[in-house]
Amino acid sequence: MIKNQLFTFLFIIGAAFSSCSNENKELEMKLNEEVMAVHNDVMPKMGELNRIKRQLKSFKETVPDENAALKDSLINTILLLSKSEDMMSDWMTNYKYPNPQMKHEELRQYLATQKDSIKLVSDALYKSIAIANGFLKKMPDSLKNNTKK
């Protein structure tokens, strides 16, 4: 009788820990999927960012030296795009796939930090592209027609 009670008790404790372990793993997998979803959403925008940056650099070459304000605006917009690009590159370089040996709390903290970090990258990238596209729409037609192909 006592053996049966002890076995039942140990089984219940084991099941409880297993359940917690499964819940932890599910939460960690969900967090990792969220991190990767933001990355996968923003990564294709890197091509657009580079296309716009090349276009702005080409425009910059056509701006007369007398139009220093426009040239400065172009340079600042190019720098903004470059900063976003660098942020993405830095995030990708520093991101390490979660180590399964990490404790659950440590792993959740790491993934939460990575989620916040890639979200900042995403926000900066989308904002810089929007600013650059707005700048391109306001670009004088005379410069658009003079750009080098």
Side-chain angles (χ1 to χ4, degrees):
M1 178 77 155
I2 292 187
K3 284 184 183 179
N4 286 342
Q5 288 177 337
L6 181 59
F7 179 73
T8 303
F9 175 73
L10 291 175
F11 178 77
I12 290 171
I13 295 296
F17 280 119
S18 174
S19 174
C20 288
S21 180
N22 286 341
E23 288 175 15
N24 284 332
K25 286 180 183 177
E26 286 177 16
L27 176 60
E28 292 155 6
M29 285 175 44
K30 183 178 184 274
L31 273 170
N32 193 53
E33 288 170 2
E34 290 172 0
V35 170
M36 289 297 108
V38 175
H39 168 268
N40 293 342
D41 178 59
V42 75
M43 191 64 196
K45 292 294 185 182
M46 295 300 290
E48 180 180 355
L49 181 144
N50 284 307
R51 179 188 54 76
I52 293 169
K53 196 161 84 168
R54 283 191 308 273
Q55 197 173 9
L56 290 173
K57 285 180 178 180
S58 179
F59 287 156
K60 185 177 72 110
E61 299 303 318
T62 67
V63 175
D65 291 337
E66 300 81 46
N67 199 340
L70 179 58
K71 203 168 237 183
D72 285 346
S73 293
L74 276 165
I75 290 169
N76 288 332
T77 305
I78 292 166
L79 288 173
L80 185 63
L81 290 167
S82 294
K83 182 174 174 21
S84 298
E85 183 178 29
D86 290 345
M87 287 174 70
M88 181 62 152
S89 179
D90 290 346
W91 183 86
M92 288 175 46
T93 299
N94 294 319
Y95 178 78
K96 304 292 181 232
Y97 192 79
N99 181 347
Q101 303 303 321
M102 288 175 141
K103 294 179 182 177
H104 293 295
E105 186 56 41
E106 182 183 7
L107 184 54
R108 281 194 298 270
Q109 181 62 41
Y110 174 75
L111 291 170
T113 300
Q114 291 304 310
K115 183 179 173 184
D116 292 344
S117 182
I118 192 63
K119 184 72 173 113
L120 288 173
V121 170
S122 175
D123 291 348
L125 198 131
Y126 277 104
K127 183 177 179 179
S128 67
I129 288 174
I131 290 170
N133 279 329
F135 190 86
L136 288 172
K137 286 180 184 174
K138 294 178 185 176
M139 183 68 64
D141 286 337
S142 61
L143 289 177
K144 289 180 186 177
N145 296 331
N146 290 332
T147 57
K148 300 170 189 169
K149 302 286 181 202

